[in-house]
Coordinates of all heavy atoms in Angstrom, one line a residue:
M1 N 6.1 -0.4 14.4 CA 6.4 -1.1 13.2 C 7.9 -1.4 13.2 O 8.8 -0.5 13.5 CB 6.2 -0.4 11.9 CG 6.9 -0.9 10.6 SD 6.8 0.2 9.2 CE 7.9 1.5 9.7
R2 N 8.4 -2.7 13.1 CA 9.7 -3.0 13.2 C 10.4 -3.2 11.8 O 9.8 -4.0 11.0 CB 9.9 -4.4 14.1 CG 11.3 -4.9 14.1 CD 11.4 -6.1 14.9 NE 10.9 -5.9 16.2 CZ 10.6 -6.9 17.1 NH1 10.8 -8.1 16.8 NH2 10.3 -6.6 18.3
V3 N 11.5 -2.5 11.7 CA 12.1 -2.7 10.3 C 13.1 -3.9 10.6 O 13.8 -4.1 11.6 CB 13.0 -1.5 10.1 CG1 13.9 -1.7 8.8 CG2 12.0 -0.3 9.7
I4 N 13.0 -4.8 9.6 CA 13.8 -6.0 9.6 C 15.1 -5.9 8.8 O 16.2 -6.2 9.2 CB 13.1 -7.3 9.1 CG1 11.7 -7.4 9.8 CG2 13.9 -8.5 9.1 CD1 11.8 -7.5 11.3
L5 N 15.0 -5.3 7.6 CA 16.1 -5.1 6.7 C 15.9 -3.9 5.9 O 14.7 -3.6 5.5 CB 16.3 -6.4 5.8 CG 17.4 -6.3 4.8 CD1 18.7 -6.7 5.4 CD2 17.0 -7.4 3.7
E6 N 16.9 -3.3 5.5 CA 16.8 -2.1 4.8 C 17.8 -1.9 3.6 O 19.0 -2.3 3.9 CB 16.9 -0.7 5.7 CG 16.5 0.5 5.1 CD 16.3 1.6 6.1 OE1 16.2 1.3 7.2 OE2 16.5 2.8 5.7
T7 N 17.5 -1.6 2.4 CA 18.4 -1.4 1.3 C 18.3 0.1 1.0 O 17.5 0.8 1.5 CB 18.1 -2.4 0.2 OG1 16.9 -1.9 -0.4 CG2 18.0 -3.8 0.6
D8 N 19.1 0.4 0.0 CA 18.9 1.7 -0.6 C 17.5 2.1 -1.1 O 17.2 3.3 -1.0 CB 19.9 2.0 -1.8 CG 21.4 1.9 -1.3 OD1 21.6 2.2 -0.1 OD2 22.3 1.8 -2.2
R9 N 16.9 1.1 -1.6 CA 15.5 1.4 -2.2 C 14.4 0.8 -1.4 O 13.2 1.3 -1.6 CB 15.6 0.8 -3.7 CG 14.5 1.2 -4.6 CD 14.7 0.7 -6.0 NE 14.7 -0.7 -6.1 CZ 13.6 -1.4 -6.3 NH1 12.4 -0.8 -6.3 NH2 13.6 -2.7 -6.4
L10 N 14.5 -0.2 -0.6 CA 13.4 -0.9 -0.1 C 13.6 -1.0 1.6 O 14.8 -1.0 2.0 CB 13.3 -2.4 -0.6 CG 13.1 -2.4 -2.1 CD1 13.1 -3.9 -2.6 CD2 11.7 -1.8 -2.5
I11 N 12.5 -1.3 2.1 CA 12.4 -1.6 3.5 C 11.7 -2.9 3.7 O 10.5 -3.0 3.3 CB 11.8 -0.5 4.4 CG1 12.5 0.9 4.3 CG2 11.6 -0.9 5.9 CD1 11.8 2.0 4.9
L12 N 12.3 -3.9 4.4 CA 11.5 -5.2 4.7 C 11.1 -4.9 6.2 O 11.9 -4.7 7.1 CB 12.5 -6.2 4.6 CG 11.9 -7.6 4.7 CD1 11.1 -7.9 3.4 CD2 13.2 -8.7 4.7
R13 N 9.8 -5.1 6.5 CA 9.4 -4.7 7.9 C 8.1 -5.6 8.2 O 7.6 -6.3 7.4 CB 8.9 -3.2 7.9 CG 7.9 -3.0 6.9 CD 7.2 -1.6 7.1 NE 6.4 -1.1 6.1 CZ 5.0 -1.5 6.1 NH1 4.6 -2.4 6.8 NH2 4.2 -1.0 5.1
E14 N 7.8 -5.5 9.6 CA 6.6 -6.1 10.1 C 5.4 -5.6 9.3 O 5.3 -4.3 8.9 CB 6.4 -6.0 11.5 CG 7.3 -6.8 12.3 CD 7.0 -6.6 13.8 OE1 7.1 -5.5 14.3 OE2 6.4 -7.5 14.4
W15 N 4.3 -6.3 9.2 CA 3.0 -5.8 8.7 C 2.3 -5.0 9.7 O 2.5 -5.2 10.9 CB 2.1 -7.0 8.4 CG 2.6 -7.9 7.2 CD1 3.4 -8.9 7.3 CD2 2.4 -7.7 5.8 NE1 3.6 -9.5 6.1 CE2 3.1 -8.7 5.1 CE3 1.7 -6.7 5.1 CZ2 3.0 -8.8 3.8 CZ3 1.7 -6.8 3.7 CH2 2.4 -7.8 3.1
T16 N 1.5 -4.0 9.2 CA 0.8 -3.2 10.2 C -0.7 -3.3 9.7 O -1.0 -3.6 8.5 CB 1.2 -1.7 10.1 OG1 0.8 -1.1 8.8 CG2 2.6 -1.5 10.4
P17 N -1.6 -3.0 10.5 CA -3.0 -3.0 10.1 C -3.3 -2.1 8.9 O -4.2 -2.4 8.0 CB -3.9 -2.5 11.3 CG -2.9 -2.9 12.4 CD -1.6 -2.7 11.9
E18 N -2.5 -1.0 8.7 CA -2.6 -0.1 7.6 C -2.4 -0.7 6.3 O -2.7 -0.3 5.3 CB -1.9 1.1 7.8 CG -2.4 2.0 8.9 CD -2.0 1.5 10.3 OE1 -1.1 0.7 10.5 OE2 -2.8 1.9 11.2
D19 N -1.7 -1.9 6.3 CA -1.3 -2.6 5.1 C -2.4 -3.5 4.5 O -2.2 -4.0 3.4 CB -0.1 -3.6 5.3 CG 1.2 -2.8 5.7 OD1 1.5 -1.8 5.1 OD2 1.9 -3.3 6.6
A20 N -3.5 -3.6 5.2 CA -4.5 -4.5 4.7 C -5.1 -4.1 3.4 O -5.3 -5.1 2.6 CB -5.7 -4.5 5.8
D21 N -5.3 -2.9 3.1 CA -5.9 -2.7 1.7 C -4.9 -3.1 0.6 O -5.3 -3.5 -0.5 CB -6.2 -1.2 1.7 CG -7.5 -0.9 2.5 OD1 -8.3 -1.7 2.8 OD2 -7.7 0.4 2.9
A22 N -3.7 -2.7 0.8 CA -2.6 -3.0 -0.2 C -2.4 -4.5 -0.4 O -2.4 -5.0 -1.4 CB -1.3 -2.3 0.2
L23 N -2.4 -5.2 0.7 CA -2.3 -6.7 0.6 C -3.6 -7.3 0.1 O -3.5 -8.2 -0.8 CB -2.0 -7.3 2.1 CG -1.9 -8.8 2.1 CD1 -0.7 -9.2 1.2 CD2 -1.6 -9.2 3.5
F24 N -4.7 -6.9 0.4 CA -5.9 -7.3 -0.2 C -5.9 -7.1 -1.7 O -6.3 -7.9 -2.5 CB -7.2 -6.6 0.4 CG -8.5 -7.1 -0.1 CD1 -8.9 -8.5 0.2 CD2 -9.4 -6.4 -0.8 CE1 -10.0 -9.0 -0.3 CE2 -10.6 -6.9 -1.3 CZ -10.9 -8.3 -1.0
A25 N -5.4 -6.0 -2.2 CA -5.3 -5.8 -3.7 C -4.5 -6.9 -4.4 O -4.8 -7.2 -5.5 CB -4.7 -4.4 -3.9
I26 N -3.6 -7.4 -3.7 CA -2.7 -8.4 -4.1 C -3.5 -9.8 -4.1 O -3.6 -10.5 -5.1 CB -1.4 -8.5 -3.3 CG1 -0.5 -7.3 -3.7 CG2 -0.6 -9.7 -3.8 CD1 0.6 -7.1 -2.8
V27 N -3.9 -10.2 -2.9 CA -4.4 -11.6 -2.7 C -5.8 -11.7 -3.3 O -6.4 -12.8 -3.5 CB -4.4 -12.0 -1.3 CG1 -3.0 -12.0 -0.7 CG2 -5.3 -11.0 -0.4
S28 N -6.5 -10.6 -3.7 CA -7.8 -10.8 -4.3 C -7.7 -10.8 -5.8 O -8.7 -11.0 -6.5 CB -8.7 -9.6 -3.9 OG -8.2 -8.4 -4.4
D29 N -6.4 -10.7 -6.3 CA -6.3 -10.8 -7.8 C -6.1 -12.1 -8.3 O -5.1 -12.9 -7.8 CB -5.0 -10.1 -8.1 CG -4.7 -9.9 -9.6 OD1 -4.9 -10.8 -10.3 OD2 -4.3 -8.9 -10.0
P30 N -7.0 -12.7 -9.1 CA -6.9 -14.1 -9.6 C -5.7 -14.5 -10.3 O -5.1 -15.6 -10.1 CB -8.1 -14.2 -10.6 CG -9.0 -13.0 -10.3 CD -8.1 -12.0 -9.7
D31 N -5.1 -13.6 -11.0 CA -3.7 -13.8 -11.6 C -2.6 -14.0 -10.7 O -1.8 -14.9 -10.9 CB -3.4 -12.8 -12.6 CG -4.3 -12.7 -13.8 OD1 -4.8 -13.8 -14.2 OD2 -4.5 -11.7 -14.5
V32 N -2.6 -13.2 -9.6 CA -1.7 -13.4 -8.6 C -1.8 -14.8 -7.8 O -0.8 -15.4 -7.6 CB -1.7 -12.2 -7.6 CG1 -0.7 -12.4 -6.4 CG2 -1.3 -10.9 -8.3
M33 N -3.1 -15.0 -7.4 CA -3.2 -16.1 -6.7 C -3.4 -17.5 -7.4 O -3.5 -18.5 -6.7 CB -4.6 -16.0 -5.9 CG -4.6 -14.7 -4.9 SD -3.1 -14.9 -3.7 CE -3.9 -16.1 -2.6
R34 N -3.2 -17.5 -8.7 CA -3.5 -18.7 -9.5 C -2.7 -19.8 -9.0 O -3.2 -21.0 -9.0 CB -3.0 -18.3 -10.9 CG -3.3 -19.4 -11.9 CD -3.0 -18.9 -13.2 NE -3.0 -20.0 -14.2 CZ -2.5 -19.9 -15.4 NH1 -2.2 -18.7 -15.9 NH2 -2.5 -21.0 -16.1
F35 N -1.4 -19.7 -8.6 CA -0.5 -20.7 -8.2 C -0.1 -20.8 -6.7 O 0.7 -21.4 -6.2 CB 0.8 -20.7 -9.0 CG 0.5 -20.8 -10.4 CD1 0.7 -19.8 -11.2 CD2 0.1 -22.1 -10.8 CE1 0.5 -20.0 -12.6 CE2 -0.1 -22.2 -12.3 CZ 0.1 -21.1 -13.2
I36 N -1.0 -19.9 -5.9 CA -0.8 -19.8 -4.5 C -1.9 -20.4 -3.7 O -3.1 -20.4 -4.1 CB -0.6 -18.3 -4.1 CG1 0.5 -17.7 -4.8 CG2 -0.5 -18.2 -2.5 CD1 0.7 -16.3 -4.7
D37 N -1.5 -21.1 -2.6 CA -2.6 -21.8 -1.8 C -3.5 -22.7 -2.7 O -3.0 -23.7 -3.4 CB -3.4 -20.7 -1.1 CG -4.2 -21.3 0.1 OD1 -3.8 -22.4 0.7 OD2 -5.1 -20.7 0.5
N38 N -4.8 -22.5 -2.7 CA -5.7 -23.3 -3.4 C -6.1 -22.7 -4.8 O -6.8 -23.1 -5.5 CB -7.1 -23.5 -2.7 CG -7.8 -22.4 -2.5 OD1 -7.4 -21.3 -2.8 ND2 -9.0 -22.5 -1.8
G39 N -5.3 -21.6 -5.2 CA -5.5 -21.0 -6.5 C -6.7 -20.1 -6.6 O -7.0 -19.5 -7.5
Q40 N -7.4 -19.8 -5.4 CA -8.5 -18.9 -5.4 C -8.1 -17.7 -4.8 O -7.5 -17.5 -3.7 CB -9.6 -19.6 -4.5 CG -10.2 -20.9 -5.1 CD -10.7 -20.7 -6.5 OE1 -11.5 -19.8 -6.7 NE2 -10.2 -21.5 -7.5
P41 N -8.6 -16.5 -5.3 CA -8.4 -15.2 -4.7 C -9.1 -15.1 -3.5 O -10.2 -15.7 -3.3 CB -8.9 -14.2 -5.8 CG -9.7 -15.0 -6.7 CD -9.3 -16.4 -6.7
W42 N -8.7 -14.3 -2.6 CA -9.3 -14.0 -1.4 C -10.5 -13.1 -1.6 O -10.3 -12.0 -2.1 CB -8.4 -13.5 -0.3 CG -7.3 -14.5 0.2 CD1 -7.0 -15.7 -0.4 CD2 -6.4 -14.4 1.3 NE1 -6.1 -16.3 0.2 CE2 -5.7 -15.5 1.3 CE3 -6.3 -13.3 2.2 CZ2 -4.6 -15.7 2.2 CZ3 -5.3 -13.5 3.2 CH2 -4.5 -14.7 3.1
A43 N -11.6 -13.3 -1.0 CA -12.8 -12.4 -1.3 C -13.1 -11.6 -0.1 O -14.0 -10.7 -0.3 CB -14.0 -13.4 -1.5
D44 N -12.4 -11.7 1.0 CA -12.8 -11.0 2.2 C -11.6 -10.2 2.8 O -10.6 -10.9 3.1 CB -13.4 -11.9 3.2 CG -13.9 -11.3 4.4 OD1 -13.9 -10.1 4.6 OD2 -14.6 -12.0 5.3
I45 N -11.6 -9.0 3.0 CA -10.5 -8.3 3.6 C -10.3 -8.7 5.1 O -9.2 -8.6 5.6 CB -10.7 -6.7 3.5 CG1 -9.4 -6.0 3.8 CG2 -11.8 -6.2 4.4 CD1 -9.3 -4.6 3.3
E46 N -11.4 -9.1 5.8 CA -11.2 -9.6 7.1 C -10.2 -10.7 7.3 O -9.5 -10.8 8.2 CB -12.5 -10.0 7.7 CG -13.3 -8.8 8.1 CD -12.7 -7.9 9.0 OE1 -12.0 -8.2 10.0 OE2 -12.9 -6.6 8.8
R47 N -10.2 -11.6 6.2 CA -9.1 -12.7 6.2 C -7.8 -12.1 6.0 O -6.8 -12.6 6.7 CB -9.4 -13.6 4.9 CG -8.5 -14.7 4.9 CD -8.9 -15.6 3.6 NE -7.9 -16.7 3.5 CZ -7.9 -17.6 2.5 NH1 -8.9 -17.5 1.5 NH2 -7.0 -18.5 2.5
V48 N -7.6 -11.1 5.4 CA -6.4 -10.4 5.2 C -5.9 -9.8 6.6 O -4.8 -9.9 7.1 CB -6.3 -9.2 4.1 CG1 -5.1 -8.4 4.2 CG2 -6.5 -9.9 2.8
R49 N -6.9 -9.1 7.3 CA -6.6 -8.6 8.6 C -6.2 -9.6 9.6 O -5.2 -9.4 10.4 CB -7.8 -7.7 9.2 CG -8.0 -6.5 8.3 CD -9.1 -5.7 8.9 NE -9.3 -4.5 8.1 CZ -10.5 -4.2 7.4 NH1 -11.5 -5.0 7.5 NH2 -10.5 -3.0 6.6
D50 N -6.9 -10.7 9.6 CA -6.5 -11.8 10.5 C -5.2 -12.4 10.1 O -4.4 -12.8 11.0 CB -7.6 -12.9 10.4 CG -8.9 -12.6 10.9 OD1 -9.0 -11.6 11.7 OD2 -9.9 -13.3 10.6
W51 N -4.8 -12.5 8.8 CA -3.5 -13.1 8.4 C -2.4 -12.2 8.8 O -1.4 -12.7 9.3 CB -3.5 -13.2 6.9 CG -2.5 -14.2 6.4 CD1 -2.1 -15.4 6.8 CD2 -1.5 -13.8 5.4 NE1 -1.2 -15.9 6.1 CE2 -0.7 -15.0 5.2 CE3 -1.3 -12.8 4.6 CZ2 0.3 -15.0 4.3 CZ3 -0.2 -12.8 3.7 CH2 0.6 -13.9 3.6
I52 N -2.6 -10.8 8.8 CA -1.6 -9.9 9.3 C -1.3 -10.1 10.8 O -0.1 -10.2 11.2 CB -2.0 -8.5 9.1 CG1 -1.9 -8.2 7.4 CG2 -1.1 -7.4 9.8 CD1 -2.4 -6.8 7.1
V53 N -2.4 -10.2 11.6 CA -2.1 -10.6 13.0 C -1.4 -11.9 13.1 O -0.4 -12.0 13.9 CB -3.6 -10.7 13.7 CG1 -3.3 -11.3 15.1 CG2 -4.2 -9.3 13.7
R54 N -1.7 -13.0 12.4 CA -1.1 -14.2 12.5 C 0.4 -14.1 12.0 O 1.4 -14.8 12.6 CB -1.7 -15.3 11.7 CG -3.1 -15.8 12.4 CD -3.6 -17.1 11.8 NE -3.6 -17.1 10.4 CZ -4.6 -16.7 9.6 NH1 -5.6 -16.2 10.0 NH2 -4.4 -16.9 8.2
L55 N 0.7 -13.4 11.0 CA 2.1 -13.2 10.6 C 3.0 -12.5 11.7 O 4.1 -13.0 11.9 CB 2.2 -12.3 9.3 CG 1.6 -12.9 8.0 CD1 1.6 -11.9 6.9 CD2 2.5 -14.0 7.6
N56 N 2.4 -11.5 12.2 CA 3.2 -10.9 13.4 C 3.4 -11.7 14.5 O 4.3 -11.7 15.2 CB 2.6 -9.4 13.7 CG 2.7 -8.5 12.6 OD1 3.8 -8.6 11.8 ND2 1.8 -7.6 12.4
E57 N 2.3 -12.5 14.9 CA 2.4 -13.5 15.9 C 3.4 -14.5 15.7 O 4.3 -14.9 16.5 CB 1.0 -14.1 16.2 CG 1.0 -15.1 17.4 CD 1.4 -14.3 18.8 OE1 1.1 -13.1 18.9 OE2 1.9 -15.1 19.7
S58 N 3.5 -14.9 14.5 CA 4.5 -15.9 14.0 C 5.9 -15.4 14.4 O 6.7 -16.1 14.9 CB 4.4 -16.3 12.6 OG 5.5 -17.1 12.2
Y59 N 6.2 -14.1 14.1 CA 7.5 -13.5 14.3 C 7.8 -13.5 15.8 O 8.9 -13.8 16.2 CB 7.5 -12.1 13.7 CG 8.9 -11.5 13.9 CD1 10.0 -12.0 13.3 CD2 9.0 -10.4 14.8 CE1 11.2 -11.4 13.5 CE2 10.2 -9.8 15.0 CZ 11.4 -10.3 14.4 OH 12.5 -9.8 14.7
R60 N 6.8 -13.2 16.6 CA 7.0 -13.1 18.0 C 7.2 -14.4 18.6 O 8.1 -14.6 19.6 CB 5.8 -12.3 18.7 CG 5.8 -10.9 18.5 CD 4.8 -10.2 19.2 NE 3.5 -10.4 18.8 CZ 2.9 -9.7 17.8 NH1 3.7 -8.8 17.2 NH2 1.8 -10.0 17.3
T61 N 6.6 -15.4 18.2 CA 6.7 -16.8 18.9 C 7.8 -17.6 18.2 O 8.3 -18.5 18.9 CB 5.4 -17.5 18.8 OG1 4.9 -17.7 17.4 CG2 4.3 -16.8 19.6
R62 N 8.0 -17.5 16.9 CA 8.9 -18.4 16.2 C 10.2 -17.7 15.8 O 11.1 -18.4 15.3 CB 8.3 -18.9 14.9 CG 7.0 -19.9 15.3 CD 6.5 -20.3 14.0 NE 5.3 -21.1 14.2 CZ 4.4 -21.5 13.3 NH1 4.6 -21.1 12.2 NH2 3.3 -22.1 13.8
G63 N 10.2 -16.4 15.8 CA 11.3 -15.6 15.2 C 11.5 -15.3 13.8 O 12.5 -14.9 13.3
Y64 N 10.4 -15.8 13.0 CA 10.5 -15.5 11.6 C 9.0 -15.4 11.1 O 8.1 -15.8 11.8 CB 11.1 -16.8 10.8 CG 10.5 -18.1 11.0 CD1 9.5 -18.5 10.0 CD2 10.8 -18.9 12.0 CE1 8.9 -19.7 10.2 CE2 10.2 -20.1 12.2 CZ 9.3 -20.6 11.3 OH 8.6 -21.7 11.3
S65 N 9.0 -14.9 9.9 CA 7.6 -14.6 9.3 C 7.7 -14.1 7.8 O 8.9 -14.1 7.5 CB 6.7 -13.6 10.1 OG 5.5 -13.5 9.6
R66 N 6.6 -13.9 7.2 CA 6.6 -13.2 6.0 C 6.6 -11.7 6.3 O 6.1 -11.3 7.3 CB 5.6 -13.5 5.0 CG 5.7 -15.0 4.7 CD 4.4 -15.4 3.9 NE 4.4 -16.8 3.5 CZ 3.4 -17.6 3.4 NH1 2.2 -17.1 3.5 NH2 3.6 -18.9 3.1
W67 N 7.3 -10.9 5.5 CA 7.4 -9.5 5.8 C 6.8 -8.7 4.6 O 6.7 -9.0 3.4 CB 8.8 -9.0 5.9 CG 9.6 -9.9 7.0 CD1 10.6 -10.9 6.5 CD2 9.2 -10.0 8.3 NE1 11.0 -11.5 7.8 CE2 10.2 -10.9 8.8 CE3 8.4 -9.3 9.0 CZ2 10.2 -11.2 10.2 CZ3 8.4 -9.6 10.5 CH2 9.3 -10.6 11.0
A68 N 6.5 -7.4 5.0 CA 6.0 -6.4 4.1 C 7.2 -5.8 3.4 O 8.1 -5.6 4.1 CB 5.1 -5.3 4.7
V69 N 7.1 -5.5 2.1 CA 8.2 -4.8 1.5 C 7.6 -3.4 1.1 O 6.6 -3.3 0.4 CB 8.7 -5.5 0.2 CG1 9.7 -4.8 -0.6 CG2 9.0 -7.0 0.6
E70 N 8.4 -2.4 1.5 CA 8.0 -1.0 1.3 C 9.0 -0.3 0.5 O 10.3 -0.4 0.7 CB 7.9 -0.3 2.7 CG 7.4 1.1 2.6 CD 7.2 1.8 3.9 OE1 6.6 1.1 4.8 OE2 7.7 2.9 4.1
E71 N 8.5 0.4 -0.6 CA 9.4 1.2 -1.3 C 9.7 2.5 -0.6 O 8.8 3.2 -0.3 CB 8.8 1.5 -2.7 CG 9.6 2.2 -3.7 CD 8.8 2.6 -5.0 OE1 7.7 3.1 -4.9 OE2 9.5 2.3 -6.0
K72 N 11.0 2.8 -0.4 CA 11.3 4.0 0.4 C 10.9 5.3 -0.2 O 10.2 6.2 0.5 CB 12.8 4.1 0.6 CG 13.4 3.3 1.6 CD 14.9 3.5 1.8 CE 15.5 2.6 2.8 NZ 16.9 2.9 2.9
E73 N 11.1 5.5 -1.5 CA 10.8 6.7 -2.2 C 9.3 7.1 -2.0 O 8.8 8.1 -1.8 CB 11.2 6.7 -3.6 CG 11.2 8.0 -4.3 CD 11.6 8.0 -5.7 OE1 12.8 7.4 -5.9 OE2 11.0 8.6 -6.6
S74 N 8.4 6.0 -2.4 CA 6.9 6.3 -2.3 C 6.2 6.0 -1.0 O 5.2 6.5 -0.8 CB 6.2 5.5 -3.4 OG 6.3 4.1 -3.1
G75 N 6.9 5.1 -0.1 CA 6.3 4.7 1.0 C 5.2 3.7 0.8 O 4.5 3.2 1.8
R76 N 5.1 3.1 -0.5 CA 4.1 2.1 -0.8 C 4.6 0.7 -0.3 O 5.7 0.4 -0.7 CB 3.7 2.2 -2.3 CG 2.9 3.2 -2.7 CD 2.5 3.1 -4.1 NE 3.5 2.4 -5.0 CZ 3.3 1.9 -6.1 NH1 2.1 2.1 -6.7 NH2 4.2 1.2 -6.8
A77 N 3.7 0.0 0.2 CA 3.9 -1.4 0.6 C 3.4 -2.3 -0.5 O 2.6 -1.9 -1.3 CB 3.3 -1.8 1.9

């Protein structure tokens, strides 16, 4: 896991496969996804796992991506 940026309270880092459940909780929520993409929540965790792979590949090939945000105190992403 590569740390991109760190503050007193947060860590901005690459996604890991272990983040899939936490990310799925976000993208499967209709209220969260209402104004994102096509407005539909994601119904399949496999889509999340594939997306994590693509995000990390984007960083390696383009030098940028979206990052996971982790709270230092709790370790939650």
Side-chain angles (χ1 to χ4, degrees):
M1 168 188 71
R2 179 180 297 167
V3 172
I4 307 303
L5 179 77
E6 193 169 334
T7 70
D8 290 339
R9 197 172 63 85
L10 302 172
I11 297 171
L12 193 66
R13 62 169 174 75
E14 282 186 296
W15 293 93
T16 66
E18 291 78 23
D19 294 319
D21 289 335
L23 181 55
F24 184 66
I26 295 168
V27 299
S28 64
D29 184 319
D31 290 331
V32 171
M33 296 302 287
R34 183 173 170 194
F35 299 107
I36 299 173
D37 197 24
N38 64 1
Q40 298 299 310
W42 293 11
D44 185 357
I45 196 164
E46 285 305 313
R47 182 175 176 186
V48 171
R49 290 183 180 119
D50 291 341
W51 197 54
I52 288 172
V53 169
R54 288 195 315 269
L55 290 172
N56 290 331
E57 182 63 24
S58 174
Y59 181 67
R60 282 187 288 283
T61 60
R62 298 178 183 168
Y64 63 92
S65 184
R66 294 177 182 151
W67 305 112
V69 178
E70 181 178 313
E71 184 182 49
K72 280 185 181 179
E73 188 174 315
S74 69
R76 285 187 329 165

